[in-house]
């Protein structure tokens, strides 16, 4: 069977859907076509290895039983144990997990990390759950996945609405069942439980490193560069701050409560103080209020969408007013928006490269846990910088060689690597 390749990237079907799985598959198809991927290999790489749906019942505080649905999708484990975060959100779906798991496979391959790709989640609204309920959900979800998880099998990490505490509960639940402390079963843990220095900031730091690398290619100097960041969580706030420290002027920031624009530049210390005190940016006095939609269309040099999926779509791609987009989130741009941005000459640093700093330091954490020797922050950051820069160069060169966008270049690099590994390992059976 011929793979369903798309002959011309610039002619998407007008009514094509804009969701993570459609977007991931569309880019995968384009790259597979350019690589002349064998139909069997195409079929193999497009299909997740495992898709697990578990029911997660917990007793609420009044004794009433509530049942949540949990997922873990392992897209591929040919390069090593599968790796990827766990998210808690009311709109988590299996299809979304499939897209995010595949992105993890491509991300690890782009970064040259010996991991496959996975993603998990529980459909719940964490803002409506007490810490005790969250702990119960986490422990039951972990217990349901015991045969899947393990330092040599599948290694979760934080993602949307999950944090160090949740990773600590995963580690403890798994360890209780194994009858030994097994720190390397999960990354993004608190430092005293075998976490790594620099892990929390790693995704935002990675964004900063690749943005500077892209700016250098375009001859842009930090002091003349304006930046807008969507999302003020673990990724956006750190990316904004580090770009600011590099001398860039951050003129727009936002979170779920809305955005703030200040042409003279936003004081990131004040923004951080504000969110530490008020939890969100709501009411922040350091700029003119704008909506999240308006924020994305602000005139700037670098736009960092670091909030959630499908923020830049065919509807607003024509109105994006930036030279560089650095995708801090997973899937913030739909595949339908890709050709529009490309035509307008906007350099997009794709998510599977731009936000790979997180999984890279997760890899460092896993290595440190297994060796039992912990690195200094300086060593973590130095190694992260080296790996991000060389991945950027590899993606840039692949894109040039094939005359495609950085995104398709990254997919080509990743798919080629996984396909080559598959060829060497062969198909068992
Ligand atoms: N959730 C993060 C991501 O999407 C980190 C995954 C990890 O460290 O395993 O890349």
């Amino acid at each position: 069977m011929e793979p369903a390749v798309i002959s011309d990237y610039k002619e998407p079907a007008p009514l094509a859907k804009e969701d993570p799985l459609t977007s991931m598959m569309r880019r995968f198809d384009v790259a597979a076509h350019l690589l002349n991927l064998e139909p069997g290999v195409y079929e193999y790489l497009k299909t997740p290895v495992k898709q697990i749906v578990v029911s997660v019942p917990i007793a609420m505080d009044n004794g009433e039983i509530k049942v949540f649905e949990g997922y873990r999708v392992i897209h591929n484990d040919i390069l090593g144990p599968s790796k990827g975060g766990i998210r808690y959100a009311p709109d988590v779906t299996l299809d979304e997990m499939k897209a995010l798991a595949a992105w993890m496979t491509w991300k690890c391959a782009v970064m040259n990390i010996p991991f496959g790709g996975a993603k998990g989640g529980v459909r719940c609204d964490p803002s409506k759950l007490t810490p005790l309920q969250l702990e119960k959900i986490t422990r039951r979800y972990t217990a349901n996945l015991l045969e899947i998880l393990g330092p040599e099998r599948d290694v979760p990490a934080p993602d949307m609405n999950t944090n160090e505490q949740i990773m600590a509960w995963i580690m403890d639940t798994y360890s209780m069942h194994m009858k030994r402390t097994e720190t390397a079963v999960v990354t993004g843990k608190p430092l005293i439980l075998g976490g790594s220095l620099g892990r929390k900031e790693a995704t935002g730091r990675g964004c900063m490193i690749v943005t500077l690398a892209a700016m250098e290619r375009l001859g842009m100097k930090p002091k003349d560069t304006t930046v807008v960041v969507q999302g003020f969580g673990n990724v956006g706030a750190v990316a904004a701050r580090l770009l600011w420290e590099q001398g860039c002027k951050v003129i727009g920031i936002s979170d779920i409560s809305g955005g703030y624009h200040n042409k003279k530049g936003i004081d990131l210390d004040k923004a951080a103080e504000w969110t530490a005190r008020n939890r969100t940016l709501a009411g922040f006095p350091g700029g003119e209020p704008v909506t999240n939609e308006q924020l994305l269309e602000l005139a700037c040099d670098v736009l960092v969408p670091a909030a959630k999926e499908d923020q830049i779509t065919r509807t607003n791609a024509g109105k994006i007013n930036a030279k560089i987009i650095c995708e801090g989130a997973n899937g913030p741009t739909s595949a339908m928006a890709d050709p529009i941005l490309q035509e307008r000459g906007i350099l997009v640093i794709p998510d599977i490269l731009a936000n790979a700093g997180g999984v890279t330091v997760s890899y460092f954490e896993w290595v440190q846990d297994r060796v039992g020797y912990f690195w200094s922050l300086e060593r973590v950051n130095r190694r992260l910088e080296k790996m991000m820069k060389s991945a950027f160069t590899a993606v840039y060169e692949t894109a040039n060689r094939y005359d495609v966008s950085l995104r398709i270049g990254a997919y080509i690099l990743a798919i080629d690597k996984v396909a080559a590994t598959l060829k060497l390992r062969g198909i068992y059976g």
Side-chain angles (χ1 to χ4, degrees):
M1 199 184 66
E2 272 289 292
V5 289
I6 294 158
S7 56
D8 185 347
Y9 195 54
K10 293 204 165 101
E11 286 174 21
L15 292 175
K17 288 189 290 172
E18 295 187 280
D19 59 69
L21 190 55
T22 310
S23 290
M24 190 285 291
M25 273 316 299
R26 184 168 183 83
R27 289 137 178 179
F28 175 69
D29 282 346
V30 174
H33 176 64
L34 291 169
L35 276 169
N36 255 327
L37 210 61
E38 267 173 50
V41 176
Y42 171 87
E43 209 53 47
Y44 184 97
L45 296 184
K46 91 175 229 233
T47 321
V49 170
K50 277 189 195 126
Q51 303 174 47
I52 300 129
V53 182
V54 291
S55 105
V56 183
I58 65 158
M60 303 301 273
D61 300 356
N62 60 3
E64 194 190 310
I65 294 171
K66 252 192 130 161
V67 184
F68 298 87
E69 194 157 271
Y71 309 89
R72 186 75 179 164
V73 172
I74 296 178
H75 170 261
N76 197 283
D77 54 2
I78 200 134
L79 290 180
S82 49
K83 190 82 192 79
I86 290 173
R87 60 172 60 177
Y88 288 176
D91 51 2
V92 162
T93 65
L94 187 61
D95 270 359
E96 182 195 30
M97 295 292 111
K98 284 195 221 169
L100 288 157
W103 277 329
M104 288 308 301
T105 303
W106 312 137
K107 199 184 291 187
C108 293
V110 163
M111 290 309 300
N112 249 323
I113 292 172
F115 285 146
K119 203 77 168 201
V122 178
R123 194 185 303 151
C124 65
D125 183 351
S127 68
K128 298 204 171 78
L129 294 165
T130 63
L132 183 62
Q133 290 161 352
L134 275 174
E135 177 173 354
K136 287 182 180 174
I137 288 178
T138 304
R139 289 191 183 275
R140 186 61 185 255
Y141 172 78
T142 307
N144 283 347
L145 293 175
L146 272 188
E147 298 80 18
I148 303 294
L149 303 177
E152 269 97 32
R153 292 189 176 155
D154 180 42
V155 186
D159 199 84
M160 257 159 67
N161 300 331
T162 56
N163 55 22
E164 292 189 336
Q165 175 62 75
I166 288 174
M167 301 307 116
W169 289 326
I170 294 176
M171 190 280 260
D172 183 68
T173 308
Y174 183 85
S175 297
M176 286 294 143
H177 283 270
M178 295 302 136
K179 310 279 180 220
R180 62 166 190 273
T181 296
E182 189 60 86
T183 52
V185 67
V186 65
T187 60
K189 298 179 295 293
L191 209 55
I192 43 168
L193 294 185
S196 175
L197 286 165
R199 174 62 186 85
K200 237 206 266 171
E201 303 78 28
T203 312
R205 178 171 291 277
C207 288
M208 179 271 284
I209 296 165
V210 290
T211 299
L212 290 185
M215 282 165 54
E216 202 180 309
R217 298 270 176 174
L218 299 184
M220 293 159 65
K221 297 263 168 302
K223 67 170 179 33
D224 306 318
T225 299
T226 55
V227 177
V228 168
V229 182
Q230 185 197 35
F232 209 66
N234 188 36
V235 183
V238 174
R241 193 190 176 86
L242 293 179
L243 284 165
W244 184 56
E245 282 175 11
Q246 291 294 321
C248 297
K249 197 199 277 183
V250 178
I251 59 162
I253 54 172
S254 78
D255 68 7
I256 196 155
S257 70
Y260 296 88
H261 178 212
N262 186 341
K263 276 193 184 153
K264 294 202 195 100
I266 291 169
D267 184 327
L268 270 301
D269 280 338
K270 295 219 166 90
E273 267 165 42
W274 187 269
T275 50
R277 229 177 315 123
N278 305 293
R279 291 193 48 179
T280 72
L281 281 170
F284 176 58
E288 292 295 312
V290 288
T291 65
N292 258 300
E293 293 73 34
Q294 290 166 332
L295 181 102
L296 291 173
E297 296 169 16
L298 290 174
C300 62
D301 296 308
V302 175
L303 175 64
V304 185
K308 53 181 189 169
E309 293 135 27
D310 294 325
Q311 296 301 293
I312 302 172
T313 63
R314 74 184 123 181
T315 319
N316 62 355
K319 298 185 224 150
I320 301 295
N321 214 336
K323 297 192 183 87
I324 295 172
I325 296 178
C326 173
E327 297 187 332
N330 286 311
T333 308
S334 80
M336 295 288 281
D338 285 347
I340 305 173
L341 298 173
Q342 203 180 344
E343 228 153 70
R344 300 186 54 231
I346 298 172
L347 188 73
V348 180
I349 313 172
D351 46 7
I352 54 173
L353 167 66
N355 69 38
V359 74
T360 303
V361 177
S362 275
Y363 167 52
F364 297 164
E365 180 174 333
W366 179 81
V367 168
Q368 293 170 75
D369 286 342
R370 284 162 46 112
V371 177
Y373 175 77
F374 290 85
W375 307 354
S376 67
L377 180 61
E378 196 259 324
R379 173 178 286 196
V380 169
N381 286 345
R382 183 165 26 88
R383 291 188 169 173
L384 172 64
E385 180 166 3
K386 197 166 161 218
M387 286 180 71
M388 294 299 303
K389 279 185 170 166
S390 56
F392 181 87
T393 305
V395 168
Y396 199 89
E397 285 170 358
T398 310
N400 275 351
R401 189 154 8 101
Y402 284 83
D403 194 19
V404 291
S405 62
L406 291 187
R407 178 169 343 261
I408 298 301
Y411 274 71
I412 289 177
L413 194 67
I415 294 169
D416 197 28
K417 180 162 186 208
V418 181
T421 314
L422 175 65
K423 267 245 144 28
L424 284 170
R425 288 184 63 158
I427 301 285
Y428 179 68

